[in-house]
Amino acid sequence: MKLSTLLAAAFASAIHAQVEMDRLMELKTKHWDEMRANGVFNRYDNARVRPAGPAPCVNGKAGEYSCDKVNMLSFLSHAEMGSTTKEGNDIWGWTSADGREFGAVGQTDGTAFVEIDTTGKLIYRGRLPTQTVSSPWRDMKVINGYLYVGSEAAGHGMQIFDMRKLLPLKRPKTFNIATDLTAFYAGFGSSHNIVAHEEKNMIYAVGTSRNLPCKGGLFMVDVSNPAKPFSPGCLSQDGYVHDAQCVVYNGPDAQYNGKEICFNYNEDTLTIADVTNKAAPRIISRTPYVGSAYTHQGWLTSSTDMNFLLLDDELDEMDGTGAAANGRTTTYIFNITSLAAPQNTGLYQSPVKSIDHNQYVINGLSYQSNYNSGLRIVDVSSAEADPTGKSFRQVGFFDCHPEDDAVGGIVEFSGSWSVYPYFKSGYLLLNSIERGVFALKYTG
């Protein structure tokens, strides 16, 4: 497809996509306002109602939580982690040089830090307040021990914090945003997500203001020197990027081997871009799909062969589009053996109703954080042999939102926001919007 055709299509979809993003944020804000009015965010700082742990998964239950092959090891409420708003969002992790494992827990009013000890117990280590004001949206990633934090809060920019500051702490510490940051990057104000390409020391802030020259696209920040971040360029041709995964490509499309490729989830398309030349990045393809409502996030099924990826749509279950009309969490499968011509080959549906949000794939297992249905672990290793998704199967789960279990799930924006599944110990961190952070272990 010619570049002019791609750009024309991108422009045509940009206006519709902005309307959908505005609607999505309004739906979430309305729901969370109702939760606040009903006192939901204040319930779990009460010791009588907070989850007890550890709780092994026995006969489908870990304490009050429905489960399968996932044990609950520990829990901390947002209040216990120093939050005054008591509302959670994203999560990421970091492992120190000597093997200690830490979580950065997103909250509306900042980032809390926890350590997971060798038994799976969570220990609160401190917090980094928001740079400006509170916001329901906060996102973070880690490169070489430095935490990069963005938020939809106006003027927030990007906080750069050295996680090694946590190592000597004997008691929780609230860090100072003026004196404890390695750097503060003010090249953009608000952002929706922070994408990290660790191999290249590159941060891509996505979902920045559509009114900036980058138009909400891939805002590139070189963090080779975390104390002196700078922007070498921007990909704005397809407008707003909601989330992305960026890799050094080593897949079957030989012309791109060794190139820096970003798989962008662009509101109504899967958009693949070559960002090797930061001053002149280019779009390779834009691919819509049947059932699209709001293209949210996704992940490669394998970082070695790079033949397929999974895509999650955040509004298809709510809007009842395509196969998602039944309300069951729907994951779309794409064959990307040709980066210029991806093909939607099939889909997978969860056994229960819920909206999908974030997923990461490790060794053939997709760790999905699906709002009301919590953590869902799906075996996707059959993608090569059966790209229709009919052979995908759920192999474990932990449902952190038991309120809707009796009806098989509800399509709304409660429950889990994200999961961090990369610790060598096998411990998983799941961040719940209304409850707090869970330390879990898959036993399958």
Side-chain angles (χ1 to χ4, degrees), residues 242-309:
H242 191 88
D243 211 336
Q245 181 184 9
C246 299
V247 300
V248 174
Y249 185 75
N250 63 348
D253 202 340
Q255 62 183 311
Y256 295 106
N257 279 335
K259 301 288 188 180
E260 295 174 50
I261 302 298
C262 287
F263 300 93
N264 303 322
Y265 301 91
N266 280 29
E267 302 192 292
D268 57 4
T269 61
L270 165 65
T271 298
I272 302 176
D274 182 347
V275 298
T276 310
N277 183 347
K278 301 297 183 290
R282 67 183 189 89
I283 295 174
I284 299 171
S285 62
R286 299 181 72 257
T287 307
Y289 54 95
V290 175
S292 166
Y294 193 85
T295 311
H296 180 264
Q297 189 259 1
W299 213 252
L300 295 170
T301 60
S302 170
S303 60
T304 54
D305 60 46
M306 300 186 178
N307 287 330
F308 288 86
L309 63 73

Side-chain angles (χ1 to χ4, degrees), residues 307-310 331-335 343-348 380 382-392:
N307 287 330
F308 288 86
L309 63 73
L310 307 178
T331 302
Y332 300 86
I333 306 162
F334 282 80
N335 180 319
Q343 296 181 329
N344 178 201
T345 59
L347 55 84
Y348 163 79
V380 300
S382 61
E384 298 276 348
D386 180 12
T388 67
K390 292 180 181 178
S391 299
F392 285 16

Side-chain angles (χ1 to χ4, degrees), residues 51-69:
C57 182
V58 178
N59 297 325
K61 288 288 184 179
E64 67 174 313
Y65 300 102
S66 296
C67 60
D68 178 33
K69 302 186 188 72

Side-chain angles (χ1 to χ4, degrees), residues 82 196 202 272 393 412 430:
M202 188 65 61
I272 302 176
R393 60 190 181 92
E412 64 180 16
L430 185 72

